[in-house]
Amino acid sequence: MYDTIIRAGRLGNGQLVDIAILDGRIAALGALPETTEAKQTLTLAGQVHVSAGWIDGHTHCYPASPIYCDEPDKVGVASGVTTVIDAGSTGADDVDDFQRIAATCKTRVHALLNISRIGLLRQNELADSRDLDMDLASAAIRRHPGFIVGIKARMSGSVVGESGLRPLHVAKQIQQANDNLPLMVHVGNTPPDLDEIVALLGDGDLLTHCFNGKPNRILTPAGELRQAVREAMRRGLLLDIGHGGASFSFEVAEAAIRQGILPHTISSDIYCKNRIKGPVYSLAHVMSKFLAIGMSLEQVLACVTHQAADALRLSGKGRLEVGADADLTLFEVMNGPTLFTDTEAGARSGDRQLLPLAALVGGELVLTHYGKSHHAFRV
């Protein structure tokens, strides 16, 4: 007998699937016999979509952060997201506290360690070279294998001050000393210039805020991809959205997508302010914006499932396959006109919106607020 069977969930490609869960893992997939027994059955009847659990690779959910704080379960399972990655809120000085908090959450929580020991204690955390301590960073990574899944460097003028590219050089040294962990690099206003930043990046590095509308963006004034970015992508650089409150432009995104430049990962850069007041609201809302500008549902789901899992080396996540962790997202695709806004006073109309109903983490069901009042599936 299985623990849970999900009946007739609709995949991103429209096909229907049954999923059996046992001991926190996917035990069977396909059209299961009607006689198959389980302690719990979720009857979706083709009305509700199911995918591997959504992964938000760029959040700020350390509750004690003085600048960008939130609670992991509010940006996680309460929003249909099974795994959240906090992107640099904590450094070597406070990551131990964050790990203790994360261990109590229903959401799977991981951290990208800020290369500054102080984390986001202040906005210019990379301006003082005394806070860039390779030994402390490496010791923190060794203390928390599995929790710290990468490192983060915010390479914009307001953060680095007079330090220039030095913090990024330190980040690469930390990366190389620690099994080439994924490195996420934030790009914003100059200095340094984006060309200088991406010249140091390559295989598996993530450039977040990739579709920002600032002058230091990936497109030239003529709307073409910068040559330095193109070369870095050939070396394996990955593009991450990192929407946030100031880092997403519809105009840039549309121009890039028209040229076949798609994001590798879609992330929210969510924290309490932009979650409550917008323009982020949730990972689902950010995903819906990409449906509105021409990406398919399958493409969008890939950016928050297997592509995100691979980029962040999250074993057992991101795929619907036997043996994988039973991390799943149940959601509805609501049809109807919706107005979406970016961070540059731009707006686009869409006719589909993703509404998460529930998250399953290791097979444990957590209904979202919308899911609690929804009658499209029966438990």
Side-chain angles (χ1 to χ4, degrees):
M1 177 181 288
Y2 295 113
D3 295 325
T4 301
I5 291 178
I6 297 172
R7 290 284 185 185
R10 191 169 295 279
L11 299 175
N13 62 11
Q15 296 179 349
L16 299 182
V17 66
D18 298 335
I19 303 171
I21 297 169
L22 181 65
D23 296 331
R25 296 185 180 277
I26 296 174
L29 286 165
L32 300 177
E34 289 297 323
T35 54
T36 307
E37 296 184 345
K39 299 172 186 175
Q40 173 181 252
T41 299
L42 305 180
T43 304
L44 305 188
Q47 299 179 51
V48 173
H49 282 75
V50 61
S51 72
W54 294 351
I55 299 165
D56 194 340
H58 184 161
T59 73
H60 290 284
C61 60
Y62 174 45
S65 173
I67 300 177
Y68 305 115
C69 65
D70 214 325
E71 297 175 32
D73 283 340
K74 286 186 177 178
V75 302
V77 290
S79 301
V81 178
T82 59
T83 298
V84 298
I85 314 296
D86 181 278
S89 299
T90 57
D93 288 354
D94 48 7
V95 71
D96 296 356
D97 181 57
F98 185 31
Q99 192 278 330
R100 285 191 291 269
I101 292 169
T104 68
C105 297
K106 293 181 179 179
T107 310
R108 298 191 194 270
V109 184
H110 301 279
L112 299 180
L113 185 75
N114 197 312
I115 62 167
S116 170
R117 62 180 295 173
I118 66 171
L120 289 180
L121 190 62
R122 60 174 190 264
Q123 283 282 9
N124 63 341
E125 78 271 13
L126 300 182
D128 189 337
S129 62
R130 292 172 296 183
D131 295 326
L132 302 175
D133 192 310
M134 262 192 63
D135 292 338
L136 286 179
S138 293
I141 292 167
R142 289 193 299 270
R143 283 199 306 277
H144 300 292
F147 175 63
I148 297 175
V149 296
I151 55 178
K152 173 79 179 293
R154 300 201 306 147
M155 295 300 299
S156 57
S158 60
V159 179
V160 303
E162 300 299 317
S163 297
L165 288 171
R166 183 172 183 273
L168 187 53
H169 286 290
V170 172
K172 295 301 289 186
Q173 291 169 0
I174 295 171
Q175 180 187 42
Q176 291 161 11
N178 292 278
D179 299 321
N180 285 310
L181 281 174
L183 165 63
M184 178 179 284
V185 177
H186 150 125
V187 61
N189 290 319
T190 57
D193 185 80
L194 179 60
D195 286 2
E196 298 176 293
I197 293 170
V198 297
L200 298 174
L201 303 180
D203 191 19
D205 294 331
L206 291 127
L207 186 73
T208 194
H209 310 316
C210 67
F211 290 161
N212 77 71
K214 301 168 186 177
N216 202 29
R217 58 185 182 228
I218 68 169
L219 301 181
T220 67
E224 298 174 349
L225 184 66
R226 288 197 195 195
Q227 185 60 32
V229 176
R230 188 180 304 278
E231 291 171 359
M233 291 176 68
R234 290 193 186 114
R235 295 193 300 271
L237 177 69
L238 307 176
L239 300 183
D240 174 63
I241 293 302
H243 186 300
S247 300
F248 177 71
S249 161
F250 276 126
E251 184 178 350
V252 173
E254 289 168 335
I257 290 171
R258 279 196 299 269
Q259 298 173 57
I261 306 163
L262 299 177
H264 190 80
T265 50
I266 294 175
S267 64
S268 66
D269 189 19
I270 198 169
Y271 76 109
C272 59
K273 183 178 178 180
N274 66 35
R275 173 174 59 83
I276 296 168
K277 297 182 178 180
V280 174
Y281 298 110
S282 67
L283 179 62
H285 191 75
V286 174
M287 293 162 64
S288 300
K289 296 183 185 187
F290 286 87
L291 296 179
I293 60 174
M295 286 178 64
S296 70
L297 178 58
E298 282 188 280
Q299 288 174 320
V300 169
L301 290 174
C303 289
V304 299
T305 55
H306 66 269
Q307 290 177 192
D310 291 349
L312 295 161
R313 304 182 193 171
L314 301 177
S315 177
K317 308 294 189 294
R319 288 176 171 80
L320 293 180
E321 59 186 23
V322 173
D325 291 334
D327 291 5
L328 309 170
T329 299
L330 307 182
F331 64 99
E332 181 181 42
V333 181
M334 186 182 74
N335 294 311
T338 304
L339 186 68
F340 298 103
T341 59
D342 63 12
T343 65
E344 302 289 326
R348 297 292 186 273
S349 295
D351 56 9
R352 290 181 296 169
Q353 188 167 8
L354 305 181
L355 297 176
L357 303 177
L360 286 89
V361 180
E364 181 180 347
L365 179 70
V366 181
L367 296 177
T368 66
H369 176 74
Y370 183 70
K372 291 174 182 177
S373 60
H374 200 280
H375 302 290
F377 67 95
R378 302 189 309 277
V379 180

